[in-house]
């Protein structure tokens, strides 16, 4: 029986105990357990076997110091409501949780001063990396004062092409909706969206017009109806379309709130959805899409997957795998009763 075997069962096993049982130095034991450093395979196996026999659990603070890491990641968001950032955060946590990394959530509320304060706070906490997200898909200025901390932008890409960004494939989402309507026989398709200065509204509108043109069709009403991201705007736009373009047989809407406003008006005007007029929304926001009458066919931006991929890219950057550019995540068309 060795000296280690006679230790009281309640005593905390240390790295030195593992080293003694394996017959190596404390430094070698540390490198073997962390997967770093060069050594014979049999030496590494001996250390791992000793750690298992002793039921060794490394002290997390000591582990962080040895690895030069704090096992924490900051998530900075401008989306105080959480409509878009919460699914991104959940997706990121799914990926980061496997590595036992804690996430510190910082809500800037879209305020530049708050953002600078949170960056400074995260730097002081020595976070291993940062994920930046928000409520819009417009490119945003990169964070300042990062001190070379790995950073990934999720949903809203960085304006700097050298930064790593993960975004939704807006053009692909518009394609799914428009091609579905065309394939179902709709020929007088209206497009009602949010503010024209929002990247999401512009991109979806441009591609919708392009796809209709390729099919020999034009937008019902002659142009895109830009407004705001609300049910009220959807109701007003639908009334306008029914008055000025009564042959409209489909609406592709920039988000689910607009789409729900459209379906409300169509029902009030005695138009059957989708028999007379089909309606497709965007975002797959359950609160809107499932409560609409009928439930909305809509484009899902795959926000959870955006968060998951952003977290994986961040983990890679923390481990030294650098890169840049925007990686787009495919959308999905969720078929329900409105189209």
């Amino acid at each position: 029986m060795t000296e280690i075997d006679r230790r009281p069962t309640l005593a905390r096993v240390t790295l030195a105990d593992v080293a003694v049982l394996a017959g190596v130095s404390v430094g070698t034991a540390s490198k073997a357990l962390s997967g770093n450093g060069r050594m014979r395979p049999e030496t590494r196996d001996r250390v791992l076997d000793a750690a298992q026999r002793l039921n060794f659990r490394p002290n997390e603070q000591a582990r962080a110091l040895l690895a030069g890491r704090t096992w924490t990641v900051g998530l900075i968001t401008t989306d105080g409501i959480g409509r878009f950032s919460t699914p991104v955060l959940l997706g990121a946590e799914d990926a980061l949780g496997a590595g036992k990394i804690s996430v510190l959530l910082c809500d800037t509320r879209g305020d530049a001063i708050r953002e600078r304060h949170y960056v400074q706070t995260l730097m002081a906490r020595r976070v291993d990396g940062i994920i930046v997200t928000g409520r819009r898909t417009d490119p945003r200025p990169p964070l300042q004062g990062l001190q070379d901390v790995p950073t990934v932008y999720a949903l809203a890409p960085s304006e700097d092409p050298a930064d790593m960004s993960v975004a939704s494939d807006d053009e692909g989402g518009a394609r799914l909706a428009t091609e579905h309507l065309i394939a179902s026989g709709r020929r007088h398709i209206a497009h009602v969206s949010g503010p024209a200065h929002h990247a999401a509204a512009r991109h979806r509108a441009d591609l919708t017009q392009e796809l209709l043109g390729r099919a020999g069709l034009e937008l019902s009403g002659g142009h895109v109806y830009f407004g705001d991201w609300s049910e009220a705007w959807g109701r007003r736009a639908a009334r306008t379309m029914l008055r000025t373009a009564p042959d409209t047989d489909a609406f592709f809407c920039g988000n689910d709130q607009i789409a729900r406003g459209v379906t409300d008006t169509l029902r009030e005007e005695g138009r059957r959805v989708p028999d007379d007029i089909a309606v497709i929304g965007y975002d797959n926001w359950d609160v809107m899409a499932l409560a609409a009458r009928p439930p909305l066919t809509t484009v899902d931006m795959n926000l959870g997957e955006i968060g998951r991929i952003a977290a994986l890219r961040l983990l890679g950057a923390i481990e030294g795998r650098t890169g840049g550019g925007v990686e787009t995540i495919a959308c999905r068309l969720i078929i329900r009763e409105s189209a």
Side-chain angles (χ1 to χ4, degrees):
M1 180 179 292
T2 67
E3 183 64 23
I4 295 298
D5 293 329
R6 290 197 299 269
R7 288 176 57 88
T9 56
L10 294 180
R12 180 180 179 84
V13 178
T14 67
L15 182 61
D17 297 329
V18 175
V20 170
L21 184 58
V24 299
S25 69
V26 173
T28 297
S30 174
K31 292 177 181 178
L33 292 173
S34 66
N36 297 322
R38 294 182 180 180
M39 66 187 67
R40 294 170 181 253
E42 55 267 29
T43 301
R44 191 183 303 277
D45 291 342
R46 200 162 66 246
V47 173
L48 295 176
D49 179 65
Q52 184 175 16
R53 287 173 58 188
L54 295 172
N55 195 27
F56 174 66
R57 295 290 182 269
N59 178 281
E60 290 300 323
Q61 289 183 335
R63 183 181 171 203
L65 288 173
L66 286 170
R69 293 176 58 176
T70 60
W71 308 98
T72 56
V73 163
L75 190 143
I76 295 179
T77 178
T78 61
D79 181 16
I81 299 175
R83 163 67 192 93
F84 294 99
S85 63
T86 296
V88 172
L89 171 61
L90 293 176
E93 283 191 325
D94 285 344
L96 296 172
K100 299 181 181 178
I101 295 177
S102 300
V103 178
L104 305 176
L105 178 61
C106 304
D107 176 18
T108 71
R109 306 178 195 176
D111 182 85
I113 295 176
R114 283 179 180 271
E115 182 173 277
R116 288 196 296 272
H117 166 71
Y118 281 129
V119 169
Q120 293 169 0
T121 300
L122 294 174
M123 293 301 99
R125 286 176 172 263
R126 296 177 55 246
V127 294
D128 297 324
I130 296 175
I131 295 175
V132 186
T133 189
R135 63 180 178 267
R136 290 172 57 174
T137 62
D138 300 66
R140 54 149 295 152
L143 294 180
Q144 300 298 313
L146 290 175
Q147 303 171 17
D148 295 326
V149 171
T151 302
V152 177
Y153 297 81
L155 188 62
S158 170
E159 293 175 348
D160 187 344
D163 289 333
M164 286 188 291
S165 301
V166 182
S168 177
D169 182 7
D170 253 343
E171 292 188 0
R175 184 185 306 277
L176 288 172
T178 306
E179 290 183 346
H180 178 79
L181 291 173
I182 293 173
S184 63
R186 310 293 173 165
R187 293 296 177 266
H188 303 282
I189 301 170
H191 185 50
V192 182
S193 196
H197 65 273
H198 282 208
R202 292 196 310 275
H203 293 163
R204 295 166 196 172
D206 289 346
L207 190 70
T208 299
Q209 290 179 288
E210 179 183 334
L211 290 171
L212 289 176
R214 291 179 188 175
L217 304 174
E218 295 182 354
L219 280 170
S220 185
H223 61 88
V224 175
Y225 282 75
F226 290 110
D228 54 57
W229 305 109
S230 70
E231 292 179 70
W233 165 237
R235 289 192 289 270
R236 293 198 305 272
R239 290 192 188 96
T240 299
M241 292 302 302
L242 292 178
R243 184 176 65 253
T244 61
D247 59 349
T248 299
D249 58 10
F251 282 85
F252 170 32
C253 302
N255 74 353
D256 292 335
Q257 290 166 274
I258 295 172
R260 183 168 167 178
V262 168
T263 59
D264 286 349
T265 295
L266 295 179
R267 185 174 62 254
E268 292 167 1
E269 296 294 327
R271 304 298 181 93
R272 297 171 302 166
V273 178
D275 301 62
D276 300 328
I277 302 177
V279 179
I280 293 182
Y282 208 104
D283 295 340
N284 193 28
W285 187 12
D286 287 354
V287 173
M288 287 290 159
L290 297 180
R293 292 187 290 167
L296 293 173
T297 291
T298 182
V299 177
D300 190 312
M301 297 171 67
N302 229 345
L303 296 175
E305 183 67 1
I306 290 174
R308 190 183 73 85
I309 295 300
L312 292 177
R313 296 294 171 267
L314 184 63
L315 289 174
I318 292 171
E319 294 170 0
R321 298 193 296 274
T322 59
V326 180
E327 179 176 355
T328 56
I329 304 300
C331 298
R332 299 174 294 170
L333 184 65
I334 308 299
I335 305 294
R336 296 195 180 96
E337 299 172 31
S338 69

